[in-house]
């Protein structure tokens, strides 16, 4: 499936469409180069879910926890600073992944060995006109 985000004003619509397509998938991995909009799209997803906290990249904390409108946890991971499997193992990822919480992951390739088998892998690309293209298999 492909979703095009024409501008930042269009991002909440794209996030709603994405969540509808993702259905009950709880483990979502965003693959994109630096600056492509992983955190911006994650913020839009959280906004659509009713998260009222400021959503920012957990680059230094690695994991942020938010609450959606129904007070369910949403975990936001940024594995950018993970250099090896030992560092990823120290995070206790199984506890997060085994929960019923939505897990949104940036830089998942740095923790690939620990991702659940049912992870939905999403690519975000930047087009020449500055719009974003979000692709995944639904």
């Amino acid at each position: 499936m492909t979703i095009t985000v024409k501008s930042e004003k269009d991002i909440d619509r794209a996030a709603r469409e994405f969540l509808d397509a993702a259905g009950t998938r709880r483990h979502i991995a965003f693959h994109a180069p630096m600056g492509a909009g992983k955190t911006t799209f994650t913020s839009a997803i959280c906004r659509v879910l009713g998260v009222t906290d400021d959503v920012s990249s957990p680059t230094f904390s690695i994991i942020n926890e938010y609450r959606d409108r129904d007070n369910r946890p949403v975990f936001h991971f940024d594995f950018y600073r993970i250099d090896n499997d030992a560092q990823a193992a120290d995070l206790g990822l199984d506890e997060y992944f085994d929960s019923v919480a939505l897990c949104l992951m940036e830089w998942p390739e740095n923790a690939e060995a620990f991702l659940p088998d049912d992870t939905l892998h999403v690519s975000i690309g930047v087009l020449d006109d500055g719009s974003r293209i979000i692709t995944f298999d639904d």
Side-chain angles (χ1 to χ4, degrees), residues 1 7 12 15 24 32 42 64 77 103 111 113 115 122:
M1 178 166 195
S7 69
D12 285 1
T24 60
T42 297
N64 285 347
F77 301 84
C103 295
L115 301 183
V122 179

Side-chain angles (χ1 to χ4, degrees), residues 4-67:
T4 301
V5 183
K6 296 180 191 293
S7 69
E8 212 164 322
K9 292 179 182 179
D10 186 40
I11 200 161
D12 285 1
R13 185 244 356 127
R16 280 190 295 279
E17 187 177 335
F18 174 79
L19 286 169
D20 286 345
T24 60
R25 305 288 287 272
R26 307 309 295 164
H27 307 109
I28 302 173
F30 295 103
H31 300 268
M34 184 81 69
K38 294 178 295 294
T39 302
T40 301
F41 194 60
T42 297
S43 296
I45 289 170
C46 288
R47 200 168 36 254
V48 167
L49 293 172
V51 170
T52 58
D53 294 324
D54 180 38
V55 175
S56 60
S57 180
T59 301
F60 294 100
S61 61
I62 301 177
I63 304 164
N64 285 347
E65 180 179 348
Y66 314 114
R67 294 285 169 167

Side-chain angles (χ1 to χ4, degrees), residues 23-124:
T24 60
R25 305 288 287 272
R26 307 309 295 164
H27 307 109
I28 302 173
F30 295 103
H31 300 268
M34 184 81 69
K38 294 178 295 294
T39 302
T40 301
F41 194 60
T42 297
S43 296
I45 289 170
C46 288
R47 200 168 36 254
V48 167
L49 293 172
V51 170
T52 58
D53 294 324
D54 180 38
V55 175
S56 60
S57 180
T59 301
F60 294 100
S61 61
I62 301 177
I63 304 164
N64 285 347
E65 180 179 348
Y66 314 114
R67 294 285 169 167
D68 70 10
R69 73 176 51 83
D70 297 318
N71 201 36
R72 293 177 300 214
V74 175
F75 295 115
H76 180 195
F77 301 84
D78 185 333
F79 297 126
Y80 182 76
R81 294 177 7 123
I82 300 299
D83 294 324
N84 56 58
D85 284 352
Q87 288 178 339
D90 287 344
L91 297 173
L93 294 174
D94 287 344
E95 290 182 42
Y96 296 101
F97 294 153
D98 289 343
S99 74
V100 296
L102 179 61
C103 295
L104 304 170
M105 299 168 271
E106 298 183 37
W107 301 101
E109 53 276 5
N110 292 352
E112 192 75 37
F114 298 89
L115 301 183
D117 291 338
D118 66 348
T119 298
L120 177 62
H121 292 272
V122 179
S123 295
I124 301 174

